[in-house]
Amino acid sequence: DTLIGLANSLMDPDEASRSLMDFQGDGIFKRVLDCGIDLTQEPFHRLQLLALYRFHVKEVLDRTRIKMPADIGRQMLGVMDETGTLEYGQVFVQYSPDIAAPGK
């Protein structure tokens, strides 16, 4: 929810004002917006919005990271279904039970 609002703030000046006010805590960004300055286009404020977005994305990634031993971990790689075999929302997953013998 927060990330969607922050992503929208990169395109919508009113949403940008709300996001920056939540971060800053005063009404200066509303006054800047009222003066006709587009917070999504003005370089300094756009950098603030991007920094705020990146901070929250990193925070979410750090909180959702699941620690596991390397000997049982797997990596997954996603590619587009160019053959059109899968229906919308379907995925194909293949893995090897033995990490020491990939492909078997």
Side-chain angles (χ1 to χ4, degrees), residues 10-81:
L10 296 170
M11 298 173 281
D12 178 13
D14 290 321
E15 189 67 36
S17 176
R18 278 190 289 281
S19 294
L20 289 171
M21 280 192 291
D22 288 346
F23 176 69
Q24 185 72 17
D26 62 16
I28 192 167
F29 298 108
K30 178 69 173 141
R31 288 182 292 203
V32 168
L33 190 62
D34 290 343
C35 290
I37 297 173
D38 186 345
L39 297 172
T40 63
Q41 299 299 316
E42 197 278 320
F44 176 75
H45 292 106
R46 181 147 182 94
L47 286 174
Q48 284 184 313
L49 291 166
L50 286 168
L52 195 57
Y53 182 78
R54 287 182 186 132
F55 170 78
H56 282 285
V57 167
K58 184 179 180 334
E59 188 177 63
V60 167
L61 289 174
D62 288 346
R63 278 187 302 183
T64 58
R65 187 153 304 174
I66 300 170
K67 306 285 187 210
M68 66 178 7
D71 62 328
I72 64 169
R74 301 291 191 276
Q75 290 185 348
M76 299 184 87
L77 173 68
V79 295
M80 188 173 95
D81 176 25

Side-chain angles (χ1 to χ4, degrees), residues 81 83-92:
D81 176 25
T83 65
T85 305
L86 300 174
E87 297 291 324
Y88 179 80
Q90 288 184 316
V91 295
F92 172 77

